[in-house]
Amino acid sequence: MTATENPTNYKWIGTRPIRHDGFDKVVGKARFAADLNLPGQLHGSIVRSPHAHAKVVSIDTSAAEAMPGVKAVVTGDDFPALDPTHPNFDTAVNCMARGEVFYNGHAIAAVTATTREEAKAAAAAIEVEYELLPAILSIADSMAEGAPLANSNNYTRFVPPGDPSNLATVTNLDRGDVDQAMADADVVVEMGFDCAHVHQGYIEPHACVVDSGDGKANVWCSSQGHFRVRSMTADVLGVENSKVKVTPAEIGGGFGGKTTIYLEPIAAKLSEKSGRPVKLVMSREEVLRASGPAPSAELRIKVGATNDGELTAIDGWMAYGVGAFGDMAGLIGAMSVASYKFPNLRMETYTALTNTPKSAAYRAPSAPHAAWAIESVVDEIASELGMDPIDLRLKNAAVEGDLTAMGMPHPKVGLVECLEAMKASGHYQSEPVEGASRGMAVGFWFNIGEESSATVNLNEDGTANVITGSPDIGGSRASMALMAAETLGIDVYSITPIVADTESVGFTDVTEGSRATFATGKAVVEACEDLIGQLKARAATIMGVEVDEVAWVDGAAVSPGHGGGESGEPLTLAQITAQAKRTGGPLTATASLNAAGAGPSFAVHCADLKVDEETGETEIVRYTAVQDAGTAIHPSYVEGQMQGGSVQGIGWALNEEYIYDANGAMENASFLDYRIPVASDLPLIETIIVEVPNPAHPYGVRGVGETGIVPPMATIGNAIKAATGVRMTSLPMSPPKVLKKLNER
Amino acid sequence: MSADSTSLLDALRDELGLIGTKEGCGTGDCGSCSVLFDGKLNCSCLILAPEAEGREIVTVEGIADGDQLHPLQQTFLEGAALQCGVCTPGFLVAAKALLDENPDPTETEIRYGLAGNLCRCTGYDKIVRAVQEAAVQLKTTSEQGA
Ligand code: FES
Ligand code: FES
């Protein structure tokens, strides 16, 4: 499905050019993190804790150091002790344990040697003596009265300093009179839910090469933001940011999971000690055991409504299990509650620590859990009232000015437009195929702005290099080129989009929060606008007119009163750059900004599915995703984000989960046992892009990366309810769990 | 030279510098390391380098005809069938194996033919469509050639 016709009639925006970095990626030339090799490079291997929580009594590295090929060994003692209040204290401890391990998989030592095999053998020869400590493995245990501490360095944030706690955040929101509204409601539905940990599942494992020669750590790695890799690595090493340079490799998927670091400081230390470049690559097992999954969650949601379908009150309790280090998952979960007006609202949320891997962002972090619970309860209300689920939502949908749970008024948003687009879709308008049943749900993500920089250099031949610091995760180079082409008025293939290292472009925040096309794109447009000013001035010189008599139209300077250039024709950008030397030198511009006004993005999904009542297996036969993109710069990659998010959500809904044994060891740390969806599990994912432009972006961009993962769990849960009459309340809705519920009917 | 325990994947990447073939798991579960081994689709992470002695190995680097991209490479580009692109080499090799065997596959046959390859970015939709489109193009070319 193509984007809706854009009223402004852009020339380039909304078209689908082949991405500039595409050729290298289909012929095998693109260099991802593990594809880089330096002369004299050594290989590293990491020793990881086999226990969920333990004191480290001793580490004996002597045998390992004597082994063939071994060049250096590091432990926590090699890194400076950061102050516990330092913002990267937890990251430092997560990279390398110091005296205590907090989860099974926690790095405790590392070794580097001439070959991978030698490094692995030496790692196995490092002897660690542990003294076991009580391990917290569930949210309930974490929050129990008098529970032992999962991590004694954790304190509850945003409250007056107190004792260490298993809770990292406690949020209480209250507006209106919830108790009265529930008492007055015609229908009240209350249900409890839980979700297991799931992993982002990027196909490229974490990897880096670091060369620490000459007092500086030169890092090559894949990440969602190399400026953050720089500052985190510098902090963990205890050096200035300027002592770390990070060059971004192509990134093989991140989804939030590559917004932090695991390997870089270890490789830097090994390189410093050995005097040679060091390469570290995680195995898939290490990725699953030691890099951030999404939080687990326990939720209880109660919603009250009137007989005519007005949702009058919500009362929610949501706890997120984030692993062994605190973050703000619970607070962000509260921020994600924003789809309906809810005049009366009470929301208690918690971030609870457990002795499991430190969770990391995963696409619209915390929102999928909350939406799964709330959209399931809202679906129950629709069926109790006998209302069409879209009509019920249309009646309550948030519009500009309505308050989110946090009490923030929505800017211009497109939920109503998305619901209407789904209602009018071919999918919703037709009956499910024989034997299939239907469910739908809504998702929200607020998106963020933050800091970005862009430099645009015009070349003598009239082409342009667009240089940014936003790693290209899924087509953002093409989006930058499209916005530059549109602004300058030149061909999109005259633009070379470049992702530059930390020393070649201005500071740029991480590609997260669906911000790259919005914020970095805005910087690109501003730099191009600056260039147009310069081009007009140069044209004025060439034409012998005043600057204010020159206009920029379709990639050329025109001076209507004066008949244009020397020959009376408009002066094209290429004609002006060709004469740059004699009109003042090279044409170049830089823009940097801290972008405000990120536009929230809503999505509405619909699934038709069949449940095999013998096996409990769910087969999705039709799936449609609708989402408000603001403006779709490159519609194919907008659709790609919607489809990718949908399918990650389908995996989360039906299959994916971390399975731990009683001691906190992950039992399914491989792609064989942690099963993500494959092509044969799925139908085509139909997409409908809605465009309600974001007034805060020059071309109306909202950011589309994240919302797509929010609706699938409830969409599928609601369809399973329609198919079988049973309401699933535990994720994943895997065949054994569905079968159990069916048998309890 | 390869030690006896070196995988074909490591030999390709480290010794021959053919970095197009990727490692996503090393255990035969993701298909990023797909190669054609005497024309048959295989995971190079599960093959020992010495086993490849005297065999024909096709990697993603060998799919194009000089500068002329294979129709699959072209339709992947045109159809935006790659986002991060790390799974792409494996998918191209697997899709080539599929179309070599079955030039006119149904959508279901494509989905099962590619079920050994994991992609976490695309949801497979645009990959399946790109393979369908390449099949059409290959058929047209071979009919014109006949
Ligand atoms: S690397 Fe060979 S199948 Fe995953
Ligand atoms: S495009 Fe990223 S894994 Fe397939």
Side-chain angles (χ1 to χ4, degrees):
Chain A
M1 173 78 62
T2 51
T4 47
E5 207 52 54
N6 204 307
T8 38
N9 260 326
Y10 295 126
K11 181 162 183 211
W12 290 106
I13 284 174
T15 63
R16 302 171 186 245
I18 289 177
R19 59 199 276 175
H20 297 66
D21 54 318
F23 181 86
D24 281 359
K25 286 180 177 157
V26 297
V27 299
K29 278 190 192 166
R31 290 194 174 259
F32 294 82
D35 301 335
L36 303 161
N37 294 300
L38 294 179
Q41 163 187 291
L42 304 173
H43 296 272
S45 182
I46 293 177
V47 184
R48 296 185 180 279
S49 167
H51 305 297
H53 195 189
K55 209 184 219 29
V56 179
V57 179
S58 65
I59 306 177
D60 184 355
T61 61
S62 54
E65 278 168 87
M67 287 175 67
V70 173
K71 304 292 180 198
V73 176
V74 300
T75 67
D77 289 344
D78 289 285
F79 295 87
L82 285 185
D83 185 282
T85 60
H86 190 285
N88 281 328
F89 175 79
D90 283 349
T91 303
V93 175
N94 191 37
C95 283
M96 185 63 81
R98 333 266 160 110
E100 186 173 347
V101 288
F102 293 108
Y103 58 93
N104 181 313
H106 197 168
I108 177 78
V111 48
T112 192
T114 313
T115 67
R116 264 191 297 260
E117 291 67 30
E118 287 168 340
K120 260 192 220 166
I126 290 178
E127 286 184 24
V128 185
E129 197 188 323
Y130 297 96
E131 184 185 307
L132 296 192
L133 295 169
I136 301 285
L137 297 174
S138 70
I139 293 173
D141 287 351
S142 176
M143 296 181 72
E145 200 55 47
L149 292 171
N151 179 339
S152 56
N153 294 313
N154 181 68
Y155 295 83
T156 308
R157 300 167 192 206
F158 316 119
V159 296
D163 293 332
S165 165
N166 279 341
L167 296 178
T169 70
V170 176
T171 307
N172 282 297
L173 307 173
D174 208 341
R175 72 166 175 249
D177 187 340
V178 170
D179 295 327
Q180 189 60 47
M182 290 293 182
D184 294 345
D186 297 316
V187 194
V188 174
V189 174
E190 179 173 12
M191 291 191 291
F193 299 86
D194 63 81
C195 326
H197 289 285
V198 294
H199 198 271
Q200 295 81 352
Y202 29 81
I203 304 301
E204 177 202 34
H206 298 268
C208 69
V209 182
V210 182
D211 185 358
S212 289
D214 203 20
K216 187 167 195 167
N218 278 286
V219 179
W220 287 261
C221 67
S222 80
S223 82
Q224 288 175 243
H226 39 297
F227 284 89
R228 185 179 291 173
V229 172
R230 178 177 73 168
S231 58
M232 282 183 161
T233 303
D235 285 350
V236 178
L237 294 172
V239 301
E240 296 295 313
N241 280 2
S242 57
K243 295 291 180 206
V244 178
K245 173 183 176 183
V246 185
T247 305
E250 295 304 323
I251 168 171
F255 318 111
K258 291 178 184 166
T259 56
T260 186
I261 59 167
Y262 299 99
L263 302 174
E264 291 77 2
I266 302 176
K269 264 292 162 208
L270 288 168
S271 174
E272 192 184 305
K273 285 184 102 171
S274 64
R276 305 259 294 267
V278 172
K279 181 172 189 171
L280 273 179
V281 182
M282 277 196 197
S283 66
R284 179 55 52 183
E285 186 194 340
E286 287 180 289
V287 170
L288 289 163
R289 280 177 64 205
S291 75
S296 57
E298 302 274 345
L299 315 94
R300 177 151 287 281
I301 297 292
K302 183 176 176 182
V303 173
T306 61
N307 272 333
D308 62 356
E310 190 198 334
L311 302 176
T312 49
I314 183 167
D315 192 353
W317 185 99
M318 312 196 291
Y320 291 79
V322 294
F325 300 87
D327 65 19
M328 302 197 293
L331 173 63
I332 299 171
M335 289 167 71
S336 78
V337 177
S339 299
Y340 307 115
K341 297 177 196 285
F342 287 128
N344 303 285
L345 174 144
R346 184 161 55 212
M347 192 63 63
E348 249 179 82
T349 74
Y350 300 90
T351 306
L353 270 66
T354 50
N355 291 109
T356 57
K358 180 181 186 344
S359 65
Y362 181 18
R363 222 168 188 156
S366 300
H369 315 69
W372 179 55
I374 294 171
E375 291 292 313
S376 297
V377 171
V378 168
D379 190 69
E380 289 291 328
I381 296 212
S383 48
E384 283 207 21
L385 293 175
M387 271 181 89
D388 174 89
I390 293 189
D391 288 342
L392 176 81
R393 286 168 172 86
L394 271 170
K395 198 173 169 94
N396 296 280
V399 298
E400 185 170 2
D402 284 336
L403 300 184
T404 68
M406 297 296 285
M408 305 289 284
H410 274 297
K412 196 167 172 46
V413 288
L415 174 55
V416 168
E417 289 81 351
C418 287
L419 285 163
E420 281 169 349
M422 181 62 88
K423 199 173 171 187
S425 68
H427 184 169
Y428 207 75
Q429 288 295 324
S430 59
E431 287 299 310
V433 295
E434 179 71 28
S437 300
R438 179 167 295 167
M440 59 78 55
V442 160
F444 163 82
W445 185 244
F446 44 84
N447 294 334
I448 62 171
E450 295 188 339
E451 295 170 271
S452 281
S453 303
T455 295
V456 180
N457 297 329
L458 297 184
N459 301 312
E460 308 87 301
D461 60 0
T463 59
N465 302 335
V466 173
I467 304 163
T468 71
S470 287
D472 183 352
I473 304 195
S476 63
R477 283 188 188 87
S479 300
M480 300 306 155
L482 282 163
M483 286 182 275
E486 188 72 45
T487 311
L488 292 171
I490 60 176
D491 192 285
V492 74
Y493 293 117
S494 295
I495 312 261
T496 303
I498 294 157
V499 184
D501 66 65
T502 50
E503 296 183 356
S504 305
V505 67
F507 179 84
T508 298
D509 267 315
V510 176
T511 296
E512 66 181 359
S514 306
R515 63 174 291 281
T517 308
F518 169 69
T520 306
K522 200 168 167 179
V524 167
V525 171
E526 285 184 11
C528 290
E529 281 167 349
D530 180 338
L531 279 170
I532 290 172
Q534 298 181 38
L535 286 159
K536 289 199 297 193
R538 302 296 180 93
T541 307
I542 299 168
M543 294 172 178
V545 299
E546 295 299 319
V547 182
D548 57 11
E549 294 173 279
V550 180
W552 191 257
V553 183
D554 216 4
V558 289
S559 182
H562 296 75
E566 287 163 28
S567 56
E569 293 295 307
L571 268 179
T572 64
L573 184 142
Q575 287 171 321
I576 301 170
T577 54
Q579 302 179 56
K581 190 171 179 180
R582 69 175 186 83
T583 57
L587 286 129
T588 173
T590 290
S592 288
L593 48 79
N594 188 352
S601 179
F602 277 99
V604 179
H605 288 193
C606 181
D608 294 354
L609 56 75
K610 296 179 184 175
V611 177
D612 183 331
E613 303 232 345
E614 305 274 288
T615 62
E617 203 166 323
T618 298
E619 183 201 355
I620 298 176
V621 295
R622 187 165 185 187
Y623 200 96
T624 298
V626 175
Q627 192 174 328
D628 176 15
T631 299
I633 300 295
H634 191 310
S636 296
Y637 291 103
V638 172
E639 293 161 0
Q641 291 295 321
M642 294 163 66
Q643 292 164 333
S646 298
V647 168
Q648 285 185 319
I650 290 170
W652 195 337
L654 294 176
N655 267 315
E656 296 179 32
E657 64 181 314
Y658 270 50
I659 301 170
Y660 289 108
D661 72 9
N663 298 316
M666 186 179 180
E667 292 188 309
N668 58 335
S670 73
F671 268 147
L672 182 64
D673 299 317
Y674 183 95
R675 199 173 166 281
I676 72 173
V678 299
S680 53
D681 296 332
L682 298 159
L684 293 170
I685 307 293
E686 297 166 50
T687 56
I688 300 171
I689 301 173
V690 167
E691 294 185 303
V692 178
N694 172 12
H697 183 274
Y699 294 116
V701 167
R702 288 183 181 275
V704 291
E706 294 172 285
T707 314
I709 202 173
V710 183
M713 294 63 129
T715 299
I716 290 167
N718 294 345
I720 291 177
K721 172 77 195 289
T724 63
V726 304
R727 168 59 61 184
M728 296 302 297
T729 57
S730 178
L731 287 182
M733 298 175 270
S734 52
K737 283 198 208 160
V738 172
L739 207 51
K740 185 160 173 281
K741 277 264 189 177
L742 288 174
N743 292 336
E744 287 166 8
R745 259 187 312 201
Chain B
M1 269 292 94
S2 311
D4 284 355
S5 60
T6 302
S7 69
L8 173 58
L9 173 62
D10 287 344
L12 288 168
R13 290 175 53 82
D14 298 343
E15 291 168 28
L16 301 176
L18 294 171
I19 50 102
T21 308
K22 306 298 181 194
E23 175 164 345
C25 68
T27 52
D29 301 314
C30 76
S32 310
C33 64
S34 299
V35 296
L36 300 184
F37 189 89
D38 279 346
K40 290 268 178 269
L41 182 62
N42 266 286
C43 293
S44 62
C45 70
L46 296 182
I47 297 173
L48 292 174
E51 294 179 66
E53 193 66 50
R55 306 302 190 95
E56 186 202 46
I57 310 294
V58 176
T59 69
V60 68
E61 287 93 344
I63 289 184
D65 183 3
D67 269 356
Q68 186 66 38
L69 291 181
H70 186 278
L72 278 163
Q73 291 169 311
Q74 196 60 37
T75 57
F76 266 58
L77 284 178
E78 284 164 3
L82 52 143
Q83 278 176 35
C84 78
V86 81
C87 69
T88 309
F91 270 97
L92 288 167
V93 169
K96 182 174 172 356
L98 172 74
L99 295 184
D100 286 351
E101 185 98 344
N102 176 2
D104 199 9
T106 63
E107 184 197 327
T108 306
E109 285 168 339
I110 294 173
R111 288 185 179 276
Y112 280 92
L114 301 178
N117 291 72
L118 299 181
C119 173
R120 192 60 155 173
C121 298
T122 63
Y124 305 102
D125 183 289
K126 292 187 191 309
I127 294 176
V128 170
R129 290 176 200 261
V131 175
Q132 286 173 321
E133 179 60 29
V136 171
Q137 287 184 15
L138 280 163
K139 243 177 91 184
T140 322
T141 329
S142 74
E143 276 162 14
Q144 280 166 355

